[in-house]
Amino acid sequence: MIPGDPQSSLLARAIPLAIAWGLACAVVGVSLTLLVTGWDYYLLPIAEQGAHPSDPLLRSSGRYGLALGVTAASLMGLNVLYLVRRNLAGNMKLGSLRAWMTIHVATGLAAPVVALMHSGFTFRTPLGVFALGLLTTAALAGIVGRYVYSVVPRGSSGRELELTQVRATAGEALEQLEGELAAEARAAGLIKEVLAEPLPPRPEGWIGARIMTLVRSDLRRRARLRTLRRALGSDAKSARLLDLLETVLDLRVQARQHQELHRIMASWRGAHRWMALTATLLLLGHVYVAVRYAHLW
Ligand code: HEM
């Protein structure tokens, strides 16, 4: 247990997970239903869509089309609340950062899908098209960032850990592992061999190369653990030793690459932030133009 890091209960983690993914699946489900039921409308050339009976419902300014646009914008609003939560005092009762990250990911992935359905695949307004393009890019970049986020050491609340905390936790986990190995002569030999292996290199170069180094070393570590799992068997005792070993190895790598991991996260976050900010500004411009010149209301 990391000092000052409250452990969140299983229920506290499961509820936001269910709400966030339930909401995302519901809005994506409605979008896909409209796509399937209105495919003959969406496939028509733009000039002929106006004469189709579904036009008053499905065009971007139609009853469903507009509702999709408002939903996409609301999902974006919900999405950036993560930033608000992250910058607020940690002891306010607003849910853990981890829970907000789940909401961020689910709404971030759903928003471009819903916005695409709002466009009706017509791509006529430049501001809207650029907003959608950037939103989609931000969401795809988000998937890479989510991976980096998962390898940056953090406590169960989702806060990033200091190097001293990572080292202390790695030391505690190693002590626990060594204690349990005392009674397991065969496993002890194999596990100590893995512990003596050199740690992976520090990631270097441009951000893409650094992320690839992280992925490669992660995959190698997982493959090494799989080989060991086959050698030790899958009884409860071996499974526990291997879980502990995995924790020790992950924490050791995180301690060694602490500075690099934080740098990678910061560079990626900067790019993601600018994409999100520009997409939001374009979206506001798009809404202004639509309301001001298309006489929606
Ligand atoms: C498309 C809509 C999205 C928008 C508008 C958006 C916006 C943002 C913003 C404003 C931040 C804060 C950046 C900062 O620290 O200044 C952020 C962080 C982040 N986003 Fe997104 N995002 C979107 C989608 C996604 C998706 C789909 C994912 C994952 C699959 C994702 C993963 C992340 C991660 C991992 C962080 C870093 C969190 C941290 O270090 O505290 N984002 N996003």
Side-chain angles (χ1 to χ4, degrees), residues 97-253:
L97 258 191
R98 227 171 249 279
W100 279 99
M101 176 44 75
T102 305
I103 294 172
H104 183 78
V105 172
T107 51
L109 290 175
V113 177
V114 180
L116 181 67
M117 288 308 300
H118 160 69
S119 80
F121 308 94
T122 53
F123 311 119
R124 272 176 298 194
T125 57
L127 284 172
V129 172
F130 284 128
L132 176 59
L134 264 179
L135 197 63
T136 310
T137 317
L140 294 176
I143 297 171
V144 179
R146 185 63 184 81
Y147 167 74
V148 180
Y149 181 91
S150 72
V151 291
V152 170
R154 45 188 90 237
S156 60
S157 64
R159 288 267 165 219
E160 290 181 15
L161 297 181
E162 301 289 333
L163 180 55
T164 46
Q165 289 174 301
V166 184
R167 284 192 177 140
T169 320
E172 278 168 27
L174 182 61
E175 233 172 70
Q176 201 179 340
L177 177 63
E178 284 174 342
E180 300 211 12
L181 281 180
E184 300 286 327
R186 193 176 94 84
L190 291 170
I191 287 180
K192 282 183 181 156
E193 234 172 67
V194 177
L195 285 171
E197 286 167 10
L199 290 172
R202 289 203 160 93
E204 282 174 345
W206 69 289
I207 184 154
R210 281 182 283 157
I211 293 177
M212 283 317 293
T213 310
L214 288 185
V215 175
R216 269 198 300 273
S217 72
D218 212 8
L219 289 177
R220 247 180 244 133
R221 204 157 61 252
R222 310 278 153 236
R224 186 72 180 90
L225 285 167
R226 271 199 304 278
T227 319
L228 197 56
R229 186 159 286 132
R230 276 196 293 274
L232 289 180
S234 53
D235 57 289
K237 182 73 195 169
S238 303
R240 164 142 184 84
L241 289 175
L242 283 167
D243 282 350
L244 264 172
L245 175 66
E246 187 172 355
T247 308
V248 172
L249 292 179
D250 285 351
L251 286 164
R252 276 184 166 184
V253 174

Side-chain angles (χ1 to χ4, degrees), residues 79 82-83 86 101 104 108 135 142 265 268-269 272-273 276:
N79 175 281
Y82 168 79
L83 195 58
R86 205 189 61 191
M101 176 44 75
H104 183 78
L135 197 63
M265 192 72 221
W268 172 86
R269 203 187 276 133
H272 187 65
R273 177 192 309 157

